[in-house]
Structures are given as C-alpha cells and as structure tokens.
C-alpha cells in the first residue's frame, strides 16, 4: 500500500527533498490527513517501481505491535526493548499499541 510506504519514508523525504518536491510532500501529507486519495502524489514522490520497505516480525518477548493511529494505513511497527516509541510522521501522533491475542 502506497500510503504505508509514504508514512514509512516521510521523515527521510522531508530531510532529502527541497523546494517544489518538498511542497508536494506537504500537500500529500495534508491530503492524507483529510482522507483524500494520495496515490498519484505519493507515486510521483517515491518514483516508478518503488521497492516497498521490508517489515520484520516481532522478536522474542514482544507481545503486540504498533499500528497507524488513525487506521488509514497498514503500517505495523514491532518495537524491541529500549527502542523509542514509534511515531506516525504523517499525522504526527504516537502509533497505537495493539496487544497480541
């Protein structure tokens, strides 16, 4: 799902892109927050044939996962002990913890 990949890469996109491309990033952020379709904008930002980020499963001792705080994308983050709490860069909110089972 492109929104998930956009959310995952948003901090890096904000650091790397300048001027018009940066404006496009922020337009996509605002559109996503408003629940508008963003696939065309995100495809333009990520480029053709984008490789989706690999998602690694939980390690021993993790009893849940962190999900999109709004439920709009399929991003899943498994946190290890000592890791910082994950934040959604798109909505600027902490990811929502959902316990296993």
């Amino acid at each position: 799902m492109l929104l998930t990949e956009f959310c995952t890469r948003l901090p890096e996109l904000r650091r790397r892109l300048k001027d018009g491309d940066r404006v496009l990033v922020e337009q996509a952020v605002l559109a996503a927050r408003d629940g508008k379709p963003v696939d065309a904008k995100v495809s333009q930002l990520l480029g053709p044939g984008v490789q989706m980020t690999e998602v690694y499963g939980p390690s021993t001792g993790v009893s849940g996962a962190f999900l999109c705080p709004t439920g709009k994308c399929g991003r899943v983050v498994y946190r290890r002990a000592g890791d910082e709490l994950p934040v959604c860069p798109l909505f600027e909110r902490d990811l929502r913890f959902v316990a296993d089972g």
Side-chain angles (χ1 to χ4, degrees), residues 26-64:
E26 299 310 323
Q27 287 173 342
V29 166
L30 293 174
R33 287 179 181 172
D34 289 340
K36 296 176 183 168
V38 294
D39 283 359
K41 286 180 177 137
V42 170
S43 292
Q44 184 178 347
L45 287 166
L46 297 180
V50 63
Q51 294 284 328
M52 296 301 193
T53 302
E54 288 187 45
V55 177
Y56 298 96
S59 60
T60 304
V62 174
S63 60

Side-chain angles (χ1 to χ4, degrees), residues 3 14 20 27 33 38-39 45 57 61 66 73 93 95 97:
L3 185 58
R14 281 180 164 155
Q27 287 173 342
R33 287 179 181 172
V38 294
D39 283 359
L45 287 166
F66 292 85
C73 89
R93 292 174 42 196
L95 292 186
F97 181 76

Side-chain angles (χ1 to χ4, degrees), residues 13 16-26 44-45:
L13 288 170
R16 183 172 53 87
L17 298 178
K18 303 288 183 226
D19 303 323
D21 288 333
R22 178 61 188 264
V23 170
L24 187 60
V25 168
E26 299 310 323
Q44 184 178 347
L45 287 166

